[in-house]
Amino acid sequence: MFFVYAVLGWCAEVAFAAVNSGKFVNRGFLNGPWCPIYGFGVVIVVLMLTPVEENTALLFAGAVVLTSALEWITGCVLEKAFHARWWDYSGLPFNIGGYVCLKFSLMWGLACVLVMRVLHPTVMFLISLVPDTALAVLNAVSACAMAADLTVTLLGIRKMQSRLRLLTKLTADLRELSDGVGEKISADVISAVGAIEEAHDSYEEKRAEIKRKREEIIS
């Protein structure tokens, strides 16, 4: 169930991005065609809300709360761990830290109602058609593939952060060198200008004195 909805969630994200941007965007944290947050979200909703599935109001409200909490926690963890945001609702009204907003929380609630009422029964029926051994193999292969994807992604982000820290240090060193050279040049120029002004003032004083003495002699 988790892997099925992780893949379907990725497909939904790609479709949504295509409608908004007019081009393909490989959405999600990982490289593969899956978004684990959708897998976790649907599993949590199914486990927690199946008892109230027949009550549409409770199902909708519970889905809004559960999916919003999951989205908020996931957004916080990703930003704290990797200093980046994979989504940002800051420009939308009634948002909390940019991690969740009313518009998408209501959309997740509605989507979960449709999933529980329409999609999930079909998914579970199709899963039930797969022999237990084949299902175990599919789960194992999917788990290994996602674990490998996660490992490569984390290593890539760590390497990128390491390079970013190196570039930041290099930039800081260059800025320090630049400031030092600039301050020395500025000090030399200011000193030279001051010396020129002093020499000019001295010249003008001597010139004025010579002119005064000449006038005294003439008179």
Side-chain angles (χ1 to χ4, degrees):
M1 188 194 310
F2 168 79
F3 292 117
V4 168
Y5 285 112
V7 172
L8 291 178
W10 178 85
C11 293
E13 285 282 347
V14 169
F16 183 77
V19 170
N20 284 334
S21 64
K23 61 181 180 179
F24 167 71
V25 179
N26 192 350
R27 300 280 292 177
F29 173 69
L30 301 178
N31 297 295
W34 38 49
C35 289
I37 188 172
Y38 283 92
F40 284 119
V42 175
V43 169
I44 290 172
V45 167
V46 170
L47 293 178
M48 299 292 292
L49 300 180
T50 295
V52 298
E53 181 180 2
E54 299 304 322
N55 189 319
T56 303
L58 285 178
L59 177 60
F60 175 77
V64 168
V65 172
L66 290 174
T67 55
S68 297
L70 176 63
E71 190 173 34
W72 185 83
I73 292 172
T74 303
C76 286
V77 170
L78 288 175
E79 183 169 12
K80 295 296 183 183
F82 305 111
H83 308 290
R85 289 196 176 196
W86 272 259
W87 64 87
D88 189 358
Y89 302 139
S90 298
L92 298 177
F94 306 106
N95 74 85
I96 302 177
Y99 302 121
V100 297
C101 71
L102 180 61
K103 174 184 176 181
F104 279 94
S105 292
L106 295 177
M107 287 176 59
W108 300 140
L110 179 60
C112 285
V113 171
L114 295 175
V115 167
M116 292 289 285
R117 294 284 176 80
V118 180
L119 182 60
H120 187 61
T122 303
V123 169
M124 293 308 296
F125 172 72
L126 293 176
I127 290 177
S128 69
L129 298 179
V130 182
D132 291 343
T133 302
L135 193 60
V137 171
L138 286 173
N139 281 330
V141 171
S142 299
C144 290
M146 187 174 288
D149 191 354
L150 177 61
T151 301
V152 171
T153 300
L154 292 177
L155 290 176
I157 292 175
R158 184 176 180 181
K159 187 175 182 180
M160 185 183 301
Q161 289 178 332
S162 177
R163 289 179 178 177
L164 181 60
R165 285 193 294 270
L166 180 61
L167 288 174
T168 301
K169 184 179 184 306
L170 177 61
T171 302
D173 291 342
L174 289 174
R175 180 58 182 268
E176 184 178 353
L177 175 63
S178 175
D179 289 346
V181 173
E183 289 175 0
K184 180 67 169 60
I185 292 174
S186 297
D188 290 345
V189 170
I190 292 173
S191 178
V193 170
I196 292 173
E197 290 178 348
E198 289 179 1
H200 181 267
D201 292 341
S202 177
Y203 169 76
E204 290 295 331
E205 289 178 359
K206 289 182 179 180
R207 183 181 178 186
E209 184 179 354
I210 293 172
K211 182 178 180 181
R212 186 176 62 256
K213 288 182 179 180
R214 186 173 56 192
E215 291 177 350
E216 289 177 353
I217 292 173
I218 294 174
S219 60

